Amino acid sequence: MPFMKLNERSENILDFIVRDYVRTAFPVSSERINKKVSLGVSPATIRNTMLELDKGGFLEQLHTSAGRIPTDKGYRYFIQNLMRLKEPQADIRRSMDEIFSRSGEIFEELNSAVSRHLRLFSAIFLENENRFFKHGLSEVLKEPEFMEQGRAVNFVDLTEHLENMVSGIFQRKNKNYNEPDFIIEEFGMAGMFFEDEDWGRFVMISLGPRRMNYEKAGSVLKYAKRQKQYG
């Protein structure tokens, strides 16, 4: 469901907070925003805008003395209104182009290349063969969110039971066939549906902490879809 549009200043501040938190994993303070972003407003106005975003459910403050981090609602607003999918970096484009140019089965190497580039857990599910390819679990578990044992256990359990997530992507594919699908819950997910003459229907998924880089993951999956369709 689309959100009510925020004003430009609120969008600029939310955009910076999401991107900065994705990069650093540290809550973002008003002082950091004032230092890094040219908004043309006073520090007090930045603080008041952050408070409004907090009250609107887009940000949360984990500790009294800390800055803010995005909520699920904040991430969803970012994905729907602020995120811009673009060409992935040259190294992953070259890797995927080379893999897609081959004959025979490509999914093991394709999934491994995507996982390494995104530093996320990645999976490909082939519907015709009812088979998963999975990579990157040990790498993504190095993220600071997974220092909490219970969260790490939940994530591992999710990677071992992806059937419902895959089923949801198959069911939603007709909404926007050429765009990635995103889920933000306890963890983050970017997924893409494919339909191929040789391999039938399959899904690519990238999973990580809720703080994962949705823009980067979505850009890679969209590029893969375009290359698989049109070469």
Side-chain angles (χ1 to χ4, degrees):
M1 180 181 297
F3 292 103
M4 183 178 294
K5 199 88 164 69
L6 296 172
N7 62 46
E8 183 178 0
R9 182 171 64 241
S10 295
E11 284 196 336
N12 287 339
I13 288 175
L14 179 61
D15 184 75
F16 177 81
I17 289 174
V18 171
R19 294 178 187 279
D20 198 60
Y21 185 59
V22 164
R23 282 193 302 269
T24 69
F26 288 108
V28 184
S29 67
S30 59
E31 290 81 5
R32 181 167 176 79
I33 296 171
N34 187 50
K35 181 179 179 181
K36 295 289 185 178
V37 187
S38 298
L39 295 172
V41 297
S42 68
T45 299
I46 293 173
R47 288 194 295 272
N48 288 337
T49 303
M50 291 176 71
L51 183 59
E52 291 170 4
L53 289 168
D54 209 335
K55 290 178 178 177
F58 297 96
L59 301 177
E60 61 182 334
Q61 190 174 24
L62 299 182
H63 306 287
T64 305
S65 60
R68 263 66 169 196
I69 67 171
T71 61
D72 291 1
K73 184 177 179 180
Y75 283 117
R76 291 190 182 101
Y77 189 94
F78 173 81
I79 288 169
Q80 290 182 16
N81 298 282
L82 305 175
M83 186 174 77
R84 298 291 179 265
L85 300 185
K86 50 197 174 186
E87 287 285 285
Q89 294 174 340
D91 58 340
I92 188 61
R93 293 203 314 270
R94 284 194 298 268
S95 294
M96 287 196 290
D97 290 349
E98 196 274 328
I99 291 168
F100 281 134
S101 70
R102 300 177 194 168
S103 58
E105 185 171 293
I106 62 172
F107 295 105
E108 187 79 34
E109 192 164 357
L110 174 63
N111 195 50
S112 178
V114 169
S115 177
R116 285 196 309 271
H117 178 71
L118 296 176
R119 299 180 67 183
L120 295 171
F121 172 85
S122 294
I124 295 177
F125 175 73
L126 302 183
E127 185 181 48
N128 289 349
E129 300 181 15
N130 193 31
R131 179 160 59 128
F132 277 101
F133 299 86
K134 299 179 181 181
H135 291 88
L137 181 59
S138 60
E139 183 65 27
V140 77
L141 287 177
K142 296 176 184 177
E143 294 293 334
E145 288 86 345
F146 298 119
M147 292 180 67
E148 182 183 323
Q149 186 176 3
R151 186 172 293 169
V153 169
N154 289 347
F155 187 80
V156 172
D157 184 64
L158 177 62
T159 66
E160 293 175 351
H161 301 90
L162 293 173
E163 294 80 7
N164 289 340
M165 187 173 288
V166 166
S167 176
I169 295 173
F170 279 132
Q171 291 171 11
R172 291 188 294 271
K173 72 177 180 64
N174 291 325
K175 288 186 177 180
N176 201 340
Y177 183 80
N178 291 311
E179 294 297 321
D181 198 11
F182 298 97
I183 296 175
I184 305 99
E185 293 177 345
E186 182 180 7
F187 308 109
M189 186 280 291
M192 179 68 87
F193 170 85
F194 294 76
E195 196 158 16
D196 181 73
E197 289 183 2
D198 297 323
W199 294 102
R201 297 179 358 142
F202 65 95
V203 165
M204 292 181 67
I205 294 172
S206 291
L207 281 172
R210 194 174 62 166
R211 182 183 53 84
M212 67 177 268
N213 192 328
Y214 298 97
E215 190 171 68
K216 186 175 182 180
S219 296
V220 167
L221 293 177
K222 189 170 183 176
Y223 183 82
K225 177 67 172 276
R226 191 177 75 215
Q227 294 305 98
K228 196 73 183 79
Q229 282 184 317
Y230 306 114

